[in-house]
Amino acid sequence: MMKNRRKILLLILFILVFTTGVSYAEPQLSLFGKDVVLEDSKEPQNYVFSLQILFILTILTLAPSILIMMSSFTRIIIVLSFIRNALGLQQTPPTQVIIGLALFLTFFIMAPIGAEINNEAIQPFLKEEINQEVALERSMKPIREFMFKQTRDKDLSLFLNMKKLGEVKSLDEIPSHVLIPAFIISELKTAFQIGFVIFIPFLVIDMVVASTLMSMGMMMLPPVIISLPFKILLFVLVDGWNLIVKSLLLGFK
């Protein structure tokens, strides 16, 4: 019985292989009720347009990284996170609120630079007055000027020495791939310095509350529970959000 079944299966397989016609992929497809024809384009402009779309999509994909690494967002989001940790609040304000505030403060700070890029690079490029290379160069110029103002010479010289560029006669000779990491570590250092200053008054409150509780013999009562309302009260009385945002806005040159 097993041999007969095997013979029948082999016979069916033989019939399917040698009697089925060869089918080729059709260049016409059906999509949402419409026929789409796939064929080679005879116009080179279509390929150029496709590459431009691919370039735009790539820029949109990298836009969050560009926003974080080449703007004031890094310093602002770190300082706002320091405030929440110094107050001892884990989820207040929520992370979405902190990120949203950091984004809008970034837009506020970078608005003049964005307007300059739009007037000097984007609009002329859309009017076909300049090509992509000139538009990219004009777009990077105000951003580079902003980063140079915030970057410390020590951080910039670190990457220049690692790249072995030697003496640089002008800032235009410094490539962007050297300037960007120097700008990032400068922003990180500045943000941590501001965070240290923010922590000091709240640390004093924690120490006073902890010493008071120990002197009263309340060893089992966590000092954080008692100090939290006082820290919030202090932050509200001095109008902390106004002071922090003002300091951040004035801190950018």
Side-chain angles (χ1 to χ4, degrees):
M1 292 294 294
M2 293 297 296
K3 292 182 179 181
N4 293 333
R5 290 182 180 178
R6 291 179 180 177
K7 291 181 180 179
I8 294 173
L9 292 175
L10 290 175
L11 180 62
I12 294 173
L13 181 61
F14 179 82
I15 294 174
L16 291 176
V17 171
F18 290 97
T19 60
T20 304
V22 180
S23 60
Y24 297 93
E26 297 181 358
Q28 185 172 353
L29 302 176
S30 178
L31 183 63
F32 300 110
K34 296 184 179 294
D35 295 332
V36 180
V37 180
L38 302 178
E39 59 181 3
D40 294 333
S41 176
K42 299 180 180 179
E43 298 181 0
Q45 293 83 359
N46 294 336
Y47 293 103
V48 176
F49 181 72
S50 301
L51 291 176
Q52 290 177 349
I53 294 178
L54 180 61
F55 177 75
I56 293 174
L57 292 177
T58 303
I59 293 298
L60 292 177
T61 304
L62 298 176
S65 300
I66 296 174
L67 175 65
I68 293 174
M69 301 303 176
M70 302 172 62
S71 67
S72 58
F73 181 84
T74 302
R75 183 191 303 185
I76 295 173
I77 192 66
I78 292 176
V79 171
L80 295 180
S81 299
F82 268 117
I83 295 174
R84 186 170 66 177
N85 293 331
L87 287 172
L89 302 173
Q90 300 299 324
Q91 298 297 330
T92 304
T95 304
Q96 293 82 354
V97 175
I98 291 180
I99 294 176
L101 178 58
L103 283 174
F104 279 102
L105 290 177
T106 302
F107 294 153
F108 181 83
I109 295 171
M110 305 297 292
I113 299 176
E116 184 178 353
I117 294 174
N118 181 61
N119 296 330
E120 299 296 332
I122 297 178
Q123 293 302 324
F125 175 73
L126 294 178
K127 296 177 181 177
E128 299 182 354
E129 297 177 357
I130 57 177
N131 55 22
Q132 293 182 358
E133 294 181 359
V134 177
L136 182 60
E137 182 179 356
R138 292 186 180 181
S139 300
M140 287 298 299
K141 183 178 179 181
I143 298 177
R144 284 171 56 89
E145 292 178 356
F146 171 79
M147 289 191 293
F148 275 122
K149 293 179 181 179
Q150 318 304 325
T151 304
R152 292 178 172 84
D153 295 336
K154 181 179 179 182
D155 298 329
L156 191 59
S157 61
L158 168 65
F159 290 95
L160 288 175
N161 294 332
M162 295 297 294
K163 198 65 177 179
K164 298 181 180 180
L165 293 179
E167 296 183 358
V168 179
K169 298 180 180 179
S170 64
L171 297 179
D172 296 334
E173 297 180 2
I174 300 177
S176 297
H177 67 273
V178 173
L179 173 60
I180 294 175
F183 167 75
I184 294 173
I185 63 174
S186 295
E187 288 293 283
L188 289 175
K189 182 177 181 179
T190 304
F192 274 73
Q193 289 176 343
I194 298 174
F196 172 77
V197 176
I198 292 173
F199 258 94
I200 291 177
F202 300 111
L203 179 62
V204 172
I205 294 177
D206 287 333
M207 294 176 62
V208 171
V209 171
S211 300
T212 304
L213 292 178
M214 290 183 64
S215 62
M216 296 176 63
M218 298 181 180
M219 307 296 295
M220 302 301 295
L221 183 62
V224 178
I225 298 178
I226 306 301
S227 63
L228 180 58
F230 291 99
K231 290 190 288 186
I232 296 176
L233 179 62
L234 174 64
F235 192 73
V236 172
L237 290 177
V238 300
D239 199 2
W241 291 114
N242 186 283
L243 291 176
I244 294 298
V245 171
K246 182 179 179 180
S247 300
L248 287 173
L249 296 179
L250 296 178
F252 289 96
K253 303 175 183 179

